[in-house]
Amino acid sequence: MAIFCVLLGLFYSFLHILSSFFSPPRHQHPTRKLPPGPRAIPVVGNLHMLGTLPHRNLQTLAQKYGPIMCIRLGLVPTIVVSSPALAELVLKTHDTVFASRPKTQASEYLNYGTNGIGFTEYGPYWRYVRKVCTLQLLSSSRIVSFGPLRKQEMNLIVKQVRNAAERHEVVDLTEKVSELVKEITFKMIVGIDNKIDSVDFRRLVEEGMRLIVTFNLADYVPYLGALDIQGLTRKMKKLSKATDKIIDKKILEIIQNSSEQQQQEEEDSNNYNNKPMTFIEVLLSLMNKPMNDHYDQPYTIQMTNIKGVIVDMIAASYETSVAAIEWTLSELMRHPRVMESLRQEINKVVGTNRMVEESDLPKLTYLDMVVKETLRLHPLAPLLVPRESMEDIEINGYYIPKKTRVFINTWAIGRDPTIWSDNVEDFFPERFDGSDIDFKGHDFQFLPFGSGRRACPGMQLGLMTIRLVVAQLVHCFDWRLPDGILPGDLDMTEKFGLAVRRTKHLLASPTYCLSI
């Protein structure tokens, strides 16, 4: 009987694919024109054209078909936008139409049925959860409250690197930065400081982020989803269960902690003073409490929502922060002039008798330009997180049907010579000197954190971490590439993921610079 059901499913899938091949695309309107794009082939559509670095290949296709392009990913109609003007139409002018997210198996299994924030469909629940995150978790006061944690973890990595410098060792900066950001992220969001749980949780988070961006046939040819041809459904279920086990363990610890134990932890000399509540503790304190009475459907936070939000927060803050720091340090080592200019600015503001404090960061204007230039050339999410149209709409004279997936190719926009001049491929932070372009998504030629309703709510926290780590490592150490590698020969090959990362780890030899 089971074999019969499988064969029947394959038969109906074959009929659907055959009909789609010999008929116009099902999203084609008889009197309205879709954007131009390459011809699709049966089953895969245009998926074969994406390759391992889809942002680059889509830029090449856009040069042929234009800044708004229609492709088909399996059976899913998809629009790719590659210009600031059209990005503004999608992210600002018609933001309400394009504010939703497509459902995927990864978001279903790894984000607790899209109970988080990043991959959740647009609607009253999403608006409620975003408000909770903005007011309760990502406010300026809460971010500042974790300053002692960042300082404590930053001091540890400086000490480790200083010891390596004294031994004339080569440092794996990718691993050091990953460990640093992991410690800050896990302790701030979940409160995990047990070494075993921390290592296991990091492995699970990294595996989850890999699965989220893995091409899943079930997302694009739903008729084949039940067959689990790639085995991804099985892997995601297993990963979800393991992640859930660690989070449940931490929640149980929090619930069982007595006020006396909490007081003892606060007074422990190994902990920083006035220890703030972790994100998961804040959410647990809000459980079953309606935020306000202004919703048609008054939502309350339940345990599943807490887990979904926590997983989203970790995935978004960990991977993207590591990638941004890694690319910034890579570009600085490739461009000694820029590295020296940044070091001179930091020395002028901070001196060499102390380390960088978070209060110094607003004064470091060249650091700001360096980070902007890095995110222009290496956007953390080069296609942003995909959106989905909630109704039929016309954009720039083209018909976009309901349920169309939309990608904004910020990588292509950031390397457009008509926007950034002929030196677009050069790492030149001074291009932002005197410019009012900021990180907030108001300037559609520069969208490192997205824009509109679905812009990244953790921008302020991410920038704090990126700026602090880069400033501290440049201030405390002089860095040289190992084994006689010249700056221009540093391998900058990238690999696609939830955030685009370096293919090879960044290795460098440090020399301690401060007089303390």
Side-chain angles (χ1 to χ4, degrees):
M1 184 65 180
I3 295 175
F4 173 76
C5 292
V6 169
L7 291 175
L8 187 63
L10 286 172
F11 175 71
Y12 279 114
S13 298
F14 174 74
L15 289 181
H16 180 88
I17 292 165
L18 198 64
S19 65
S20 69
F21 179 59
F22 290 108
S23 306
R26 63 184 176 89
H27 57 278
Q28 175 72 62
H29 192 280
T31 60
R32 297 177 181 174
K33 184 173 68 171
L34 292 168
R39 181 177 177 82
I41 63 175
V43 185
V44 297
N46 301 106
L47 278 168
H48 62 294
M49 295 181 169
L50 298 186
T52 57
L53 297 173
H55 51 292
R56 290 177 177 265
N57 293 329
L58 288 173
Q59 181 204 38
T60 302
L61 287 172
Q63 290 169 349
K64 179 178 180 180
Y65 294 102
I68 181 168
M69 176 175 61
C70 182
I71 61 176
R72 202 178 76 216
L73 302 181
L75 304 178
V76 179
T78 304
I79 299 298
V80 182
V81 168
S82 305
S83 79
L86 288 163
E88 184 173 3
L89 288 176
V90 171
L91 303 178
K92 181 181 178 181
T93 309
H94 302 292
D95 188 21
T96 53
V97 175
F98 295 102
S100 199
R101 299 285 194 216
K103 280 188 175 181
T104 65
Q105 271 200 348
S107 62
E108 181 67 25
Y109 288 114
L110 303 180
N111 294 88
Y112 294 89
T114 63
N115 273 289
I117 179 171
F119 300 96
T120 303
E121 292 178 289
Y122 182 76
Y125 170 74
W126 175 83
R127 291 194 296 270
Y128 167 74
V129 173
R130 181 181 173 89
K131 191 168 186 179
V132 169
C133 292
T134 302
L135 297 180
Q136 302 289 344
L137 305 181
L138 298 169
S139 65
S140 296
S141 59
R142 185 159 297 280
I143 292 170
V144 169
S145 73
F146 283 100
L149 168 62
R150 287 186 290 270
K151 182 175 182 178
Q152 174 181 295
E153 297 299 330
M154 194 72 248
N155 287 345
L156 287 175
I157 191 177
V158 168
K159 183 178 179 180
Q160 292 170 8
V161 175
R162 183 176 181 178
N163 289 339
E166 291 172 355
R167 295 190 296 266
H168 305 288
E169 294 176 349
V170 174
V171 172
D172 186 336
L173 272 169
T174 295
E175 183 59 32
K176 287 294 183 187
V177 169
S178 296
E179 183 68 18
L180 170 65
V181 175
K182 181 209 74 175
E183 289 297 317
I184 293 173
T185 301
F186 288 3
K187 289 179 180 177
M188 177 177 64
I189 297 178
V190 193
I192 290 179
D193 50 16
N194 176 282
K195 193 66 177 176
I196 296 175
D197 285 349
S198 181
V199 171
D200 288 344
F201 203 46
R202 175 181 172 180
R203 177 181 56 80
L204 294 173
V205 168
E206 290 175 343
E207 175 65 9
M209 290 184 289
R210 187 188 68 80
L211 288 174
I212 284 175
V213 298
T214 298
F215 161 67
N216 187 350
L217 192 61
D219 292 335
Y220 302 103
V221 188
Y223 302 92
L224 301 179
L227 303 179
D228 193 21
I229 295 172
Q230 300 161 275
L232 294 176
T233 304
R234 184 175 65 256
K235 289 179 182 178
M236 286 187 282
K237 287 181 178 179
K238 183 179 179 181
L239 181 67
S240 178
K241 187 177 294 185
T243 304
D244 197 57
K245 184 177 179 180
I246 292 180
I247 294 178
D248 277 344
K249 179 182 177 181
K250 190 61 192 179
I251 289 174
L252 186 62
E253 287 177 7
I254 293 170
I255 293 175
Q256 290 178 339
N257 269 345
S258 66
S259 58
E260 182 180 345
Q261 288 173 319
Q262 292 173 3
Q263 181 66 31
Q264 185 178 354
E265 287 178 3
E266 289 173 5
E267 294 174 356
D268 191 332
S269 60
N270 293 323
N271 293 326
Y272 48 89
N273 295 326
N274 301 318
K275 183 178 178 182
M277 292 175 70
T278 62
F279 285 14
I280 197 168
E281 288 173 330
V282 173
L283 291 172
L284 284 169
S285 73
L286 298 173
M287 195 164 69
N288 298 322
K289 297 177 183 178
M291 189 170 184
N292 58 47
D293 300 321
H294 302 308
Y295 293 96
D296 295 334
Q297 296 175 276
Y299 286 100
T300 57
I301 294 180
Q302 303 298 324
M303 191 63 74
T304 304
N305 309 126
I306 291 173
K307 293 177 180 179
V309 170
I310 289 301
V311 169
D312 268 3
M313 287 282 183
I314 291 172
S317 58
Y318 170 65
E319 183 80 353
T320 54
S321 295
V322 173
I325 295 166
E326 191 179 40
W327 285 121
T328 303
L329 294 174
S330 299
E331 290 290 2
L332 288 171
M333 289 184 201
R334 288 181 73 224
H335 300 87
R337 176 195 68 82
V338 179
M339 175 84 85
E340 184 56 30
S341 295
L342 178 57
R343 181 176 288 111
Q344 287 179 8
E345 178 187 64
I346 299 173
N347 286 343
K348 182 178 179 180
V349 172
V350 179
T352 58
N353 295 317
R354 66 176 178 88
M355 292 172 62
V356 176
E357 300 286 345
E358 291 185 3
S359 58
D360 297 317
L361 298 179
K363 307 168 191 174
L364 301 176
T365 56
Y366 193 69
L367 172 65
D368 200 55
M369 290 188 279
V370 166
V371 173
K372 284 179 180 176
E373 181 69 343
T374 298
L375 296 182
R376 177 188 71 84
L377 286 171
H378 307 281
L380 304 178
L383 298 175
L384 295 185
V385 181
R387 297 192 176 209
E388 186 177 79
S389 57
M390 294 189 289
E391 60 185 62
D392 294 353
I393 191 172
E394 190 171 286
I395 295 285
N396 210 41
Y398 294 112
Y399 171 62
I400 312 296
K402 182 180 179 179
K403 289 288 185 182
T404 296
R405 198 163 297 190
V406 180
F407 289 106
I408 310 294
N409 194 341
T410 60
W411 190 90
I413 293 172
R415 293 174 183 258
D416 187 340
T418 65
I419 302 168
W420 298 100
S421 79
D422 292 336
N423 69 341
V424 68
E425 295 290 339
D426 296 340
F427 184 74
F428 187 67
E430 286 81 1
R431 75 176 73 247
F432 288 98
D433 191 12
S435 168
D436 58 359
I437 294 175
D438 59 26
F439 294 96
K440 297 179 181 179
H442 302 147
D443 306 282
F444 293 89
Q445 69 268 43
F446 184 64
L447 299 166
F449 296 95
S451 182
R453 285 169 173 80
R454 301 307 294 243
C456 176
M459 178 189 70
Q460 185 179 351
L461 175 60
L463 286 174
M464 173 68 78
T465 304
I466 295 164
R467 288 165 170 160
L468 178 64
V469 176
V470 171
Q472 206 72 274
L473 292 178
V474 170
H475 182 49
C476 293
F477 303 98
D478 180 30
W479 297 94
R480 292 289 182 269
L481 294 173
D483 303 323
I485 298 174
L486 297 175
D489 294 333
L490 179 62
D491 190 339
M492 298 289 280
T493 309
E494 60 189 17
K495 59 182 177 181
F496 193 77
L498 188 62
V500 172
R501 298 282 300 275
R502 290 177 52 86
T503 301
K504 296 181 179 179
H505 281 207
L506 178 63
L507 308 178
S509 300
T511 301
Y512 188 66
C513 295
L514 301 188
S515 55
I516 55 171

